[in-house]
Amino acid sequence: MELGLNAEQIIQVAHMDQMPDKVETLKQQLLRLPAVQRVGVSHSVPPHVWEGERYTTKAEPTNVMEIANLRTEADYIELLGLDFTAGRNFDPANQSDRYHAILNETAVRMLGWGSPDTYAADSPVGKRVLQAFDDERVIEVIG
């Protein structure tokens, strides 16, 4: 199955979330190695994304769906060579991007926001999803 990402020559180090204060140090040390071109951090590796949470939209608050999520950073998205149909990657210099989302085409369809054919007229970028749990945080879609 074509996943739409570059999974060649990628090594995953599991359980990095258990040492959050050392992640940046490890990244910098790995980048010093001649064989290492990029380093990115995530909490899982596609297509094995097991965590999901419930989301909805303000337009249809009763339409609650489980969407798998991958907590990651801009470097990881670049490492996988993901292409954007609309929008942009996370910007490490923009602290508010920590609370923004990048959705895949399946999630956009599930939310009722169309498909790549409709993005020119009605882009999902700038729309908001609502967490349907805990504090019901509103999350802006940037890509």
Side-chain angles (χ1 to χ4, degrees):
M1 178 170 106
E2 176 58 43
L3 297 176
L5 57 90
N6 176 16
E8 297 295 317
Q9 299 182 1
I10 292 178
I11 297 172
Q12 177 188 7
V13 179
H15 306 296
M16 292 293 295
D17 56 329
Q18 294 179 10
M19 51 183 224
D21 56 330
K22 301 207 180 0
V23 171
E24 192 57 38
T25 301
L26 178 59
K27 279 179 66 175
Q28 295 308 314
Q29 292 296 320
L30 288 170
L31 286 168
R32 289 182 179 174
L33 300 172
V36 176
Q37 295 175 357
R38 291 185 188 262
V39 177
V41 177
S42 75
H43 287 95
S44 54
V45 177
H48 307 290
V49 179
W50 307 118
E51 290 186 23
E53 295 173 322
R54 297 175 322 136
Y55 295 91
T56 189
T57 64
K58 286 194 180 228
E60 294 188 49
T62 59
N63 183 21
V64 176
M65 63 208 71
E66 183 89 11
I67 299 177
N69 61 51
L70 172 66
R71 300 185 193 282
T72 190
E73 61 176 7
D75 290 339
Y76 188 74
I77 291 171
E78 290 175 11
L79 174 84
L80 294 181
L82 299 181
D83 292 324
F84 284 76
T85 306
R88 63 175 177 84
N89 195 355
F90 297 110
D91 179 355
N94 184 349
Q95 288 297 313
S96 66
D97 272 7
R98 293 179 54 130
Y99 306 104
H100 290 159
I102 297 171
L103 303 178
N104 66 15
E105 292 173 17
T106 301
V108 170
R109 270 193 295 278
M110 286 174 62
L111 291 164
W113 293 342
S115 66
D117 299 337
T118 64
Y119 295 168
D122 187 21
S123 176
V125 174
K127 292 187 178 179
R128 291 170 166 67
V129 292
L130 177 67
Q131 291 177 335
F133 59 95
D134 292 339
D135 60 1
E136 297 187 340
R137 178 179 294 165
V138 176
I139 303 167
E140 182 179 344
V141 175
I142 62 169

